[in-house]
Amino acid sequence: ILISLFYLSVAFLFHQAVQLPVIITLPIIVICAERMWVLLDWIGPVVGTMNRKKQEQERNLIIEYLLENSLRYGSPLVIAAIYGKKRMSLHVVARLFRRSDIVLRSSAGFLLVLMPFTSFEQASVPLKRLITRQLPIKEVFMTDVRMLQDLEEEQKTNDNGEATGTTVEDLRRICLRTFDEKVEAIKSTSVRADVPPIFSLFKSGT
């Protein structure tokens, strides 16, 4: 309605003839454009485009929320990074995990799988099942809260051998930073395997 009124005002101001098809078409165009932006906002996390800043904020909040729950209640939490030879659909990978597991896309483009209430040994089962599927996966890295805590405390230990407190923000940052470093390191490698390997983030491969 506002668009039609604006058109009528402009036509009256410049003494132009009012065309009925234009009055009908303009609201339809506006509605279609609005729906298109809603659609792009919805598919953004799937393809890793559109409103990256908002995606990053939501991703950080989800990771920190699960880390906080794990620390507060002592429940296990495993985080895995899936690096592909090419971009993979987030929803295709998510269907291979439980409904309680959360699949996100990192700012670097690889996929993150958060598996709450799952031990390190339990998490290896769906990950091993994942790499046998016909997906363009190159390598998988996995870690848990205990590993992240150990690494963060090691890095924060001061000269007197005393470790400072660790927050969920610290754990989230060191997790994503280490995943990014691992992925960058394998981008330049040309090693190919029939079955993609699964590596523990801070230990020897499995």
Side-chain angles (χ1 to χ4, degrees):
I1 296 176
L2 292 177
I3 296 297
S4 298
L5 291 175
F6 176 75
Y7 169 72
L8 292 173
S9 301
V10 172
F12 176 77
L13 181 64
F14 292 96
H15 306 288
Q16 298 292 324
V18 176
Q19 300 182 11
L20 185 60
V22 175
I23 297 177
I24 297 174
T25 305
L26 280 176
I28 297 176
I29 294 176
V30 172
I31 293 173
C32 291
E34 181 184 1
R35 294 296 94 191
M36 179 62 70
W37 281 111
V38 172
L39 177 62
L40 290 175
D41 186 62
W42 179 77
I43 67 173
V46 180
V47 298
T49 59
M50 301 300 297
N51 206 348
R52 292 177 181 267
K53 185 176 181 180
K54 179 181 177 183
Q55 290 180 33
E56 184 176 0
Q57 292 174 344
E58 293 177 349
R59 180 176 59 249
N60 291 343
L61 287 175
I62 292 172
I63 295 174
E64 291 175 7
Y65 174 76
L66 292 178
L67 286 170
E68 184 176 3
N69 282 347
S70 177
L71 294 175
R72 178 177 299 178
Y73 302 109
S75 59
L77 170 66
V78 172
I79 304 177
I82 303 172
Y83 176 64
K85 302 171 187 176
K86 59 182 180 180
R87 185 177 292 271
M88 294 179 290
S89 169
L90 185 149
H91 290 312
V92 169
V93 175
R95 286 200 298 266
L96 302 176
F97 291 89
R98 302 171 305 178
R99 291 187 178 181
S100 58
D101 299 333
I102 301 174
V103 182
L104 306 170
R105 190 179 301 278
S106 73
S107 57
F110 59 87
L111 298 181
L112 291 168
V113 183
L114 294 91
M115 293 176 272
F117 308 105
T118 306
S119 67
F120 206 77
E121 293 74 20
Q122 292 171 335
S124 63
V125 176
L127 289 174
K128 288 179 179 178
R129 184 172 61 247
L130 172 71
I131 61 177
T132 60
R133 299 298 182 98
Q134 298 299 317
L135 294 173
I137 298 174
K138 189 171 184 179
E139 288 186 8
V140 177
F141 296 95
M142 57 187 297
T143 186
D144 60 8
V145 176
R146 182 69 62 98
M147 289 186 191
L148 296 175
Q149 283 179 305
D150 291 344
L151 182 63
E152 181 64 18
E153 290 175 2
E154 180 182 342
Q155 292 188 357
K156 282 191 170 184
T157 300
N158 56 29
D159 295 336
N160 297 327
E162 297 176 355
T164 58
T166 300
T167 65
V168 292
E169 291 83 1
D170 295 329
L171 296 179
R172 186 257 304 165
R173 280 193 291 266
I174 197 169
C175 177
L176 295 181
R177 184 175 69 246
T178 310
F179 276 143
D180 287 342
E181 292 171 355
K182 294 290 185 180
V183 168
E184 285 297 323
I186 65 176
K187 280 184 178 179
S188 58
T189 63
S190 57
V191 178
R192 295 184 179 181
D194 295 333
V195 179
I198 300 176
F199 293 102
S200 174
L201 194 57
F202 306 118
K203 296 181 181 179
S204 59
T206 58

